Amino acid sequence: MVYLAIAGVMCFIALLMLLLGLRLLFSVHWILGWLRGTIGLLALSVSIFLTWAALDVTDYDELGYNEALATVRFKENQPNQFQVTFSETQGVSHYLHLAGSQWQVTIYGLMTNATLQNFGIPAGFKFVKIEGVDGQQPTSQKMLTESRYGLDIWHVLQRFSWLFPQVSAKAFVSSLHPAKADALYRISMTLKGVEVKELSGGVKDNATNAQEELNAATKEQTAEVEEREGEAETVSPDTDQATGPE
């Protein structure tokens, strides 16, 4: 009997709560207040996200195709151990240690569509990392740019591409290139991807080129001597014939 009374009281309280809830839900003032609060929180969230993303976008630079974006110089400390100077054309230089007989670089690109390009918004890029490689296996990795505020807009656009379909996030990785002492490389972007051009071949190549130049010069000198000897042999019979009758 007592439990029936307790159940009745609980049902009565539940009915009161139901009536109060329905009254509040169908109140115009409450609905407007809820909408106002929801829209306000949404606007505040978008503002924080855009500010956060804008700080990360400052790491990107305008992408120019077939233009030098950076140079990479190697100085060998030990076999397959290099001191690398990575100099971007924007004036930023990175000094780092890299291990491996080969190397490659990764670039993140924010590729804009034709509509944005017509409004003067070109594609953007940033250097992400450079890796030392031995036998197709990475042996060392150095970050060139890291998100300073915990949000990488590139990863956001890659995962949620529907947020801003006018911009696509793409990663570009260069092919492997040999790491050599005193070698100098230039990095640029083409429509096909990352292009790395060797400007200076390093100590070994310079020594080889010097030896080849020395060999060529020696051959030229030998040819000149042989030519002079041939001319001398041609002149000698005429001289003997001229002095014979006397």
Side-chain angles (χ1 to χ4, degrees):
M1 206 59 184
V2 175
Y3 290 101
L4 288 176
I6 293 175
V9 172
M10 294 175 65
C11 289
F12 179 73
I13 294 175
L15 180 61
L16 290 178
M17 292 295 103
L18 176 63
L19 294 175
L20 178 62
L22 291 174
R23 182 178 179 182
L24 291 175
L25 285 175
F26 287 99
S27 172
V28 176
H29 298 290
W30 181 87
I31 294 175
L32 292 177
W34 177 80
L35 288 175
R36 234 185 346 258
T38 301
I39 294 173
L41 289 175
L42 180 61
L44 183 61
S45 300
V46 171
S47 174
I48 294 174
F49 173 77
L50 290 178
T51 303
W52 208 354
L55 294 173
D56 186 71
V57 168
T58 57
D59 290 331
Y60 288 82
D61 293 307
E62 181 179 337
L63 176 60
Y65 290 104
N66 301 315
E67 297 179 0
L69 304 180
T71 58
V72 187
R73 183 181 294 277
F74 288 82
K75 182 179 180 181
E76 189 173 32
N77 296 329
Q78 297 177 4
N80 291 340
Q81 301 285 333
F82 298 92
Q83 188 69 32
V84 178
T85 302
F86 193 101
S87 303
E88 301 182 31
T89 54
Q90 301 297 327
V92 180
S93 295
H94 308 268
Y95 304 94
L96 43 94
H97 179 77
L98 206 64
S101 59
Q102 296 176 301
W103 67 278
Q104 63 183 11
V105 66
T106 300
I107 298 176
Y108 279 177
L110 299 178
M111 317 309 293
T112 55
N113 63 5
T115 302
L116 292 181
Q117 291 177 9
N118 290 335
F119 282 98
I121 303 177
F125 80 99
K126 71 175 180 180
F127 289 102
V128 180
K129 62 181 178 180
I130 183 172
E131 296 175 288
V133 181
D134 257 332
Q136 304 298 324
Q137 295 295 327
T139 55
S140 60
Q141 172 180 297
K142 301 296 181 180
M143 301 302 296
L144 300 173
T145 305
E146 294 184 275
S147 179
R148 293 170 291 176
Y149 307 99
L151 174 68
D152 193 332
I153 192 64
W154 186 89
H155 286 100
V156 172
L157 291 176
Q158 187 184 50
R159 182 170 298 182
F160 306 102
S161 57
W162 51 269
L163 285 174
F164 202 49
Q166 291 81 8
V167 179
S168 59
K170 294 184 179 180
F172 301 94
V173 182
S174 70
S175 57
L176 292 173
H177 292 270
K180 297 178 291 186
D182 296 330
L184 178 64
Y185 295 90
R186 184 186 68 187
I187 301 175
S188 59
M189 278 286 293
T190 67
L191 295 176
K192 295 181 179 180
V194 184
E195 181 181 68
V196 178
K197 183 178 181 180
E198 187 174 345
L199 300 180
S200 175
V203 173
K204 294 180 180 179
D205 288 350
N206 291 339
T208 302
N209 293 336
Q211 185 63 39
E212 290 178 353
E213 291 177 0
L214 179 61
N215 293 339
T218 303
K219 290 180 179 179
E220 290 180 1
Q221 291 177 357
T222 303
E224 290 178 0
V225 171
E226 291 178 351
E227 184 178 355
R228 290 176 182 175
E229 291 178 351
E231 291 177 354
E233 291 177 356
T234 303
V235 172
S236 296
D238 296 337
T239 304
D240 295 341
Q241 185 176 2
T243 56
E246 296 179 358

